[in-house]
Amino acid sequence: MPQITRDSLMSLESYAKVRPAYRSEMIAHKKNRSVALGGHVTLIFEDEKTMRYQIQEMLRAERTFEDAGIQDELDAYNPLIPDGSNWKATMMIEYPDPDERQLALGKLKGIEDRVWVQVADQPRVYAIADEDMERENAEKTSAVHFLRFELDATSAAAAKSGAAIRMGIDLVAYPVEAITLAENARAALVADLA
């Protein structure tokens, strides 16, 4: 899959001009790539478009225009673009109340390794989590994790031929039975496969 390059990014000035429309477009795009697992976990399945938006937003927020700073953002976010044989997602654990969130993150240690996807009747594929750095400590897990679901050729072919895609979480403290993706989400994920 294509990687984002320095030359393909907009300048800060150009981005400022298109940002409102681009942001609206991105909200609609992410809607098809978001999957709620229970009431407190959301997966946002990333692609080149979501990562391009994230990079542009980071450069804008940090007022970065030097080559080294831009390259740092590219190095951070390009690995989150699926490469044709996998799906990559940002997992957010969301509790509005800070005290409730703190308590929940202590109980949900290891959740990032228990999220799974399944195509048709193929075996479940468990997430490979946080390849860039550890996001869990002795007391709690993080509220944000980065997941990769590596599909074998049979699962990828089944997904591309229209098979159902299911997801869930296999953790005693937060079990989510298999949910079947709606067609808009299924189609968005299938587009990530080579």
Side-chain angles (χ1 to χ4, degrees):
M1 297 300 237
Q3 295 289 291
I4 301 164
T5 64
R6 165 72 179 97
D7 294 338
S8 72
L9 293 170
M10 288 181 257
S11 69
L12 294 178
E13 296 81 12
S14 296
Y15 184 64
K17 292 176 186 172
V18 301
R19 184 174 183 252
Y22 195 51
R23 180 174 152 78
S24 295
E25 181 184 327
M26 189 53 51
I27 289 169
H29 182 72
K30 283 187 173 186
K31 188 174 182 181
N32 291 328
R33 304 184 69 79
S34 299
V35 178
L37 296 175
H40 300 286
V41 173
T42 302
L43 301 182
I44 306 289
F45 283 87
E46 308 294 1
D47 65 356
E48 189 273 346
K49 192 170 190 170
T50 64
M51 288 298 95
R52 178 176 297 281
Y53 176 72
Q54 184 65 33
I55 291 168
Q56 291 285 179
E57 282 292 303
M58 292 300 293
L59 295 175
R60 176 188 176 275
E62 297 171 0
R63 303 281 184 236
T64 302
F65 55 87
E66 290 101 3
D67 285 341
I70 294 169
Q71 190 60 51
D72 287 345
E73 299 300 337
L74 291 168
D75 291 345
Y77 291 106
N78 264 327
L80 298 176
I81 300 172
D83 65 15
S85 67
N86 51 41
W87 292 317
K88 296 183 180 181
T90 301
M91 179 176 80
M92 294 173 289
I93 302 172
E94 303 167 304
Y95 288 83
D97 179 80
D99 294 331
E100 184 183 11
R101 181 174 51 249
Q102 189 69 15
L103 184 62
L105 293 177
K107 293 179 181 176
L108 296 177
K109 285 179 55 176
I111 191 171
E112 65 275 13
D113 298 316
R114 304 308 305 160
V115 181
W116 55 267
V117 301
Q118 182 180 30
V119 180
D121 59 355
Q122 295 302 307
R124 289 179 176 178
V125 176
Y126 283 87
I128 301 165
D130 303 324
E131 295 177 283
D132 60 336
M133 63 184 282
E134 185 61 41
R135 289 187 164 76
E136 182 176 286
N137 61 37
E139 289 82 40
K140 65 180 182 66
T141 192
S142 174
V144 177
H145 294 276
F146 299 102
L147 310 180
R148 175 170 57 94
F149 299 93
E150 196 64 43
L151 301 178
D152 64 21
T154 304
S155 291
K160 289 192 280 189
S161 71
I165 300 171
R166 287 179 289 283
M167 297 183 181
I169 300 175
D170 183 14
L171 185 74
V172 172
Y174 191 90
V176 177
E177 295 298 320
I179 62 157
T180 302
L181 295 189
E183 181 53 33
N184 62 325
R186 197 194 76 72
L189 293 187
V190 168
D192 295 339
L193 300 174

